[in-house]
Amino acid sequence: MITASPSAAVGMSRVTVRLPRAVEPVDDVLARAGHSPVERRMFTRVYGLRDSTVLAPGERLEDLLSAAGEAALGGDRADLVLYGHTLPVQECGVGTRFAERMRTRLSTPAGRFYGISHVGCTSVLRCLELAQRFLGRPGARPDEQVLVLGGDHGSLLDEARILPRTTVASDTAVAVRVTPLPMDRPVAGTAPRYRLAALAHARDTRFHRNLRMSQDEFAAYGKACGALVRRVMEDAAARVGTTAADLDWIMPHMSNAVFWKAVARAADIPRERVCLDLLPEVGHGFGTDALMALEHADRTRRLRPGDRCALVSIGQGAYFTAAVVEVQDETEGT
């Protein structure tokens, strides 16, 4: 099933990443879980998964999320905060007034903090769609803004962070501010860095058993993933008048390098356009991967105004999302 997003004009600014202090070798995670030496070599030498970022003793995911959110807001307040997470239950949110504390820390009006889950690792990109709908609703003010947060504490339980024959997940936190695009020429320095140009989603209900799938179901899921990722990328690209092969960059769901080599080959996308730089040192960050890749590419000065980037996520269940963002000139208006 393929669906498309609403078309309210919104921009994204201040993509912020916060990583924990500790790093754990992926090989250690797999060894602790009882995986064979052959499997461990496959993950580290073939899949490209070397290290996994994990919360150090005394660190809390809540603090990383708050720090990322505060940096993304830059002293402003959000009219709505959406927190996308893959794991349905987060340690920080179990009976501890997590939402209340986050509203206070982020200066958010009461009742305007919502968790988005049960769509796997597509949750963070789904938050972009919900932000778009909120800002485009009847009666919305032109000065409203949404803060999107993403992150999971996967290292709490190895069984939750290891996807058989696919990846090992890390602890990460991201944030991005979403605002309406101005109708007139913006004041110098106020243009959003990215324009959210298109979104496309897909779901395949054959794989609803998630980690409880049989070996045959896992094999079928692996084949279906590549095809459905290409479909949502092509659908999102078509909505901005181009093809996936002609997009400037792919900001991927960083499951493993083998998967993306196959997708790039099938979609005729040059491998150098798939931004997998963070894969060895950070690993798979659940739903935060695409935004982390976008922030890294921009921080290392790869992106230029006019570039079109596909942000891609895959969720167990199975869910697929692709968002096309266009890089804007932040000095516009000078």
Side-chain angles (χ1 to χ4, degrees), residues 125-187:
L125 295 189
R126 285 297 185 98
C127 287
L128 296 180
E129 177 185 357
L130 295 173
Q132 186 180 43
R133 290 181 182 275
F134 176 80
L135 296 172
R137 75 192 189 283
R141 301 192 319 272
D143 63 341
E144 288 183 316
Q145 57 186 351
V146 178
L147 177 66
V148 170
L149 299 174
D152 285 86
H153 184 181
S155 65
L156 185 66
L157 183 66
D158 285 342
E159 289 83 352
R161 66 193 292 218
I162 299 173
L163 183 60
R165 294 181 292 181
T166 304
T167 196
V168 172
S170 303
D171 302 338
T172 59
V174 300
V176 61
R177 185 181 64 166
V178 184
T179 55
L181 285 176
M183 298 297 293
D184 302 317
R185 187 175 178 85
V187 176

Side-chain angles (χ1 to χ4, degrees), residues 270-294:
R271 289 186 188 178
E272 61 270 18
R273 295 186 193 172
V274 182
C275 296
L276 285 170
D277 298 32
L278 295 176
L279 180 65
E281 60 189 71
V282 177
H284 168 47
F286 289 103
T288 66
D289 285 344
L291 286 175
M292 285 199 300
L294 182 68

Side-chain angles (χ1 to χ4, degrees), residues 81 97-114:
V81 178
R97 296 187 175 180
F98 168 66
E100 181 180 324
R101 289 199 307 275
M102 291 296 288
R103 285 198 299 265
T104 300
R105 296 176 76 166
L106 298 171
S107 301
T108 308
R112 291 293 181 92
F113 182 99
Y114 297 98

